[in-house]
Amino acid sequence: MIIPREDGLVRIYCQLSTVAQDSDGRFDRSRITPDTILEAAQRIIKPYQLDYKHRDWWTIYQIGQRVGNHFSAQERIFLAGDAIHTHSPKAGQGMNVSMQDTYNLGWKLAMVVKGIAKPAILKTYETERRTVAQELIAFDQNYSRLWSSRPKKSIEDQSGVSMAEFERAFVQQQLFSSGFGVHYSPNILTAKDSSETTDALGGDEGSETPSKAGLPSSHQHLASKTVLGKRFQSFKVINHCDARSWHLAHLLKADGIFHILLFAGDVSQPSQMERVRTFANDMRNRSRTIPVRQRHVPITHGYSLHGASSEHTNGIAQLLTIHSAPRQQVEFHDFPPLLRPFDKDLGYDYNSIFVDGESYYEGHGHAYDGYGIDRTRGCVTVVRPDHYVAWISDLEDVQGLEAYFAGFVVEQPPPVTRL
């Protein structure tokens, strides 16, 4: 592997196929020199020539593909990154996966420490990230094999590696780097699809994966391309009020709370707007169990569910609306107040409603098509703080949304009425 670097430098990764080993079976580092590496690289690139006059840096690394049995001890001490899984450097996954480990853990720890979520969510760190580490190591073993093998000389050459196989592995590597190759199994934070049976999900007594029988249900078919447990994809939408184009993911700030996305469908149809009003009314009636934070109001009283001076300041989730109706046919004030929140100091939140429509300058994002959502009826989707898809259902299923959050949110006492 040859990588151009800054200041005219070039990095060369070179696999040493035969090296002397010590009594413990590890390679003898004292017998490897820069000349050993150069000679191996020269053999690999023949009939081309390779030499250098200046060597900025060199090192040797023994590939170890290992993963720990446990990522935590009693959910009190946690291990992440290279401390718990190792692999070859060629895939470039060390930093990416380590950051994803700690990001997965960080928001969960914050919610537990602040008394928002039950400590049980900390168990999902190991079940989610250890699976990813195992998948990564399996991929890394195959990736290392490809780099160590010679290219195929012809179709009949069975011992060589085809460029098509190498390209597939390279694409998979990019999916791992971005997080889009990760798929979390159902748990208390990621609902199961209602079409799956408990047997299909696994979890017999004694197995590593717990039973999913008590987990909240979701309806994958309502957003067929928005896969439960996978990274939420981003498509462009336009602001309902000023027609500015945004990538939807850029509107979902990674600030440690959930995102409830109301795909409101074609609200130019009276029957669909009535469904939206019913959803908003049901949500408002459940403001204690599904507390929604107003998007444009800063947190001034800490991250608590109750007790702030403004009813809009705190919450476990932010609510964002994306409809599919022609923007000119629907007014901002046609939507129920919950979807266009108002603050006495800051006014209306004009960044709360968006449209899957044609931008004046950037074309059509086709978000509904990209997410696999019906443009007329829409659906409701919950995205976790780390931007993985957690729950999908109909607008009428606010009770199911309440049950989803009830599975891990600490129940708060009703606010005290002061006389």
Side-chain angles (χ1 to χ4, degrees), residues 219-227 369-373 392:
H219 300 281
Q220 179 67 77
H221 70 279
L222 296 175
S224 59
K225 299 177 185 177
T226 307
V227 182
D369 294 337
Y371 294 125
I373 298 173
I392 303 168

Side-chain angles (χ1 to χ4, degrees), residues 81-355:
D82 289 350
I84 197 64
H85 50 74
T86 62
H87 42 82
S88 77
K90 282 184 178 175
Q93 298 299 322
M95 181 179 69
N96 288 296
V97 176
S98 296
M99 287 181 174
Q100 291 166 19
D101 283 350
T102 51
Y103 189 28
N104 180 286
L105 176 62
W107 66 268
K108 297 172 183 177
L109 275 175
M111 293 187 75
V112 172
V113 169
K114 293 176 180 179
I116 298 168
K118 301 172 185 176
I121 71 169
L122 298 177
K123 294 182 182 294
T124 65
Y125 168 62
E126 178 173 312
T127 57
E128 290 181 344
R129 297 308 300 174
R130 188 170 188 272
T131 300
V132 172
Q134 291 172 320
E135 292 172 348
L136 174 61
I137 287 175
F139 161 75
D140 185 59
Q141 290 172 340
N142 181 55
Y143 204 56
S144 297
R145 177 187 64 81
L146 294 177
W147 277 105
S148 305
S149 304
R150 61 172 178 80
K152 273 191 174 185
K153 297 179 180 179
S154 65
I155 298 177
E156 291 79 16
D157 186 357
Q158 298 298 318
S159 59
V161 175
S162 71
M163 290 299 99
E165 183 180 4
F166 202 95
E167 182 181 4
R168 285 194 296 271
F170 192 76
V171 171
Q172 187 180 5
Q173 179 250 355
Q174 293 177 317
L175 292 174
F176 263 117
S177 296
S178 63
F180 283 100
V182 174
H183 190 180
Y184 294 142
S185 297
N187 54 43
I188 59 174
L189 294 171
T190 304
K192 65 180 180 180
D193 182 12
S194 60
S195 65
E196 296 181 0
T197 64
T198 302
D199 291 339
L201 289 165
D204 295 332
E205 186 175 354
S207 68
E208 189 173 315
T209 304
S211 172
K212 309 299 188 296
L215 298 182
S217 289
S218 189
H219 300 281
Q220 179 67 77
H221 70 279
L222 296 175
S224 59
K225 299 177 185 177
T226 307
V227 182
L228 289 162
K230 298 199 76 171
R231 186 78 179 269
F232 183 72
Q233 298 187 66
S234 185
F235 296 94
K236 283 195 171 182
V237 294
I238 57 177
N239 186 292
H240 181 87
C241 294
D242 63 14
R244 181 182 174 184
S245 179
W246 291 83
H247 256 292
L248 185 51
H250 291 174
L251 301 170
L252 311 182
K253 291 186 178 181
D255 55 0
I257 70 170
F258 287 75
H259 303 276
I260 301 174
L261 304 182
L262 169 60
F263 289 93
D266 186 357
V267 290
S268 65
Q269 300 183 15
S271 59
Q272 184 64 16
M273 181 61 88
E274 185 59 34
R275 292 181 71 216
V276 170
R277 292 193 179 100
T278 301
F279 167 82
N281 185 59
D282 289 346
M283 286 286 292
R284 188 170 289 282
N285 291 338
R286 290 173 169 83
S287 59
R288 282 193 60 250
T289 53
I290 316 176
V292 174
R293 183 203 299 174
Q294 187 167 315
R295 290 172 50 82
H296 72 325
V297 178
I299 302 176
T300 57
H301 295 267
Y303 195 169
S304 62
L305 295 181
H306 301 281
S309 60
S310 169
E311 65 174 321
H312 303 299
T313 301
N314 300 306
I316 195 172
Q318 290 183 331
L319 178 60
L320 191 69
T321 301
I322 307 99
H323 69 83
S324 63
R327 190 172 65 89
Q328 295 82 356
Q329 295 183 18
V330 185
E331 293 292 336
F332 180 72
H333 286 276
D334 290 341
F335 289 90
L338 182 70
L339 308 185
R340 47 176 180 83
F342 175 81
D343 181 81
K344 59 184 176 60
D345 296 320
L346 299 175
Y348 283 104
D349 179 5
Y350 293 107
N351 294 311
S352 59
I353 300 176
F354 291 79
V355 189

Side-chain angles (χ1 to χ4, degrees), residues 400-413:
L401 180 61
E402 180 181 41
Y404 166 73
F405 282 113
F408 59 88
V409 173
V410 174
E411 184 176 355
Q412 300 290 320

